[in-house]
Amino acid sequence: MRNLFLTTAFILSGATWAMADDIIKVPTDKSVTEAIDALQAAVENAGATVFARVDHAAGAHKVDMTIPPNQVLIFGNPALGTPAMQIDPRAGLFLPLKVQAYEDADGQVWLAYEDPKETMDELDAVEKSPVIDKMRGALSKLTDAAAN
């Protein structure tokens, strides 16, 4: 039983490491709020829709806990998402897209997002579709614009 537990723990920890490899991080000299504000403006200027803005630090404060500044912007563009879901409806599990701005322990602010190619790698037809490269390009351009 102990060996099963250790093997399971090892496999699960490896899965966590693999997931971390799927995250793209872009540094910024802006505050978390400034970075998310800039990202929201870039998203809206690109014609995409902002669905939500989540302030994790504010949520922590509501339960008398603290974390460094940490916000997530959830957004999408049907011109990119719809073709992916036409190929495989399960792509909707990974959409809309989201970008997190957070401050690390050293005070560095990062914009982070999951690479859609890696996130949707179980959906072979979607992963190989040109729409994935468009999503990757959009996320790269939007986070670069927000970071600078």
Side-chain angles (χ1 to χ4, degrees):
M1 184 65 143
R2 186 178 189 306
N3 285 342
L4 176 62
F5 174 75
L6 291 175
T7 302
T8 303
F10 178 76
I11 291 169
L12 290 175
S13 67
T16 301
W17 291 332
M19 288 189 304
D21 290 343
D22 299 346
I23 298 173
I24 297 168
K25 294 173 32 179
V26 179
T28 182
D29 292 330
K30 296 177 179 176
S31 70
V32 166
T33 298
E34 291 169 337
I36 288 290
D37 286 346
L39 179 63
Q40 183 167 345
V43 165
E44 290 170 344
N45 288 338
T49 301
V50 172
F51 296 110
R53 183 170 175 161
V54 180
D55 186 335
H56 290 299
H61 181 73
K62 287 181 181 179
V63 293
D64 297 323
M65 299 174 83
T66 60
I67 59 172
N70 187 325
Q71 295 184 33
V72 175
L73 191 72
I74 302 168
F75 59 92
N77 182 339
L80 294 177
T82 303
M85 289 185 279
Q86 286 176 323
I87 295 167
D88 189 323
R90 296 175 298 165
L93 288 169
F94 309 105
L95 299 170
L97 299 173
K98 60 186 176 239
V99 174
Q100 177 188 35
Y102 69 95
E103 183 179 307
D104 69 15
D106 297 322
Q108 174 65 55
V109 174
W110 297 91
L111 290 163
Y113 61 91
E114 293 178 290
D115 182 346
K117 185 170 183 68
E118 298 299 324
T119 305
M120 296 191 216
D121 67 350
E122 295 295 319
L123 310 177
D124 290 336
V126 176
E127 180 190 23
K128 294 173 184 168
S129 167
V131 73
I132 290 296
D133 289 331
K134 290 178 184 177
M135 285 181 194
R136 293 173 101 190
L139 283 164
S140 178
K141 287 179 186 175
L142 292 168
T143 53
D144 285 346
N148 297 311

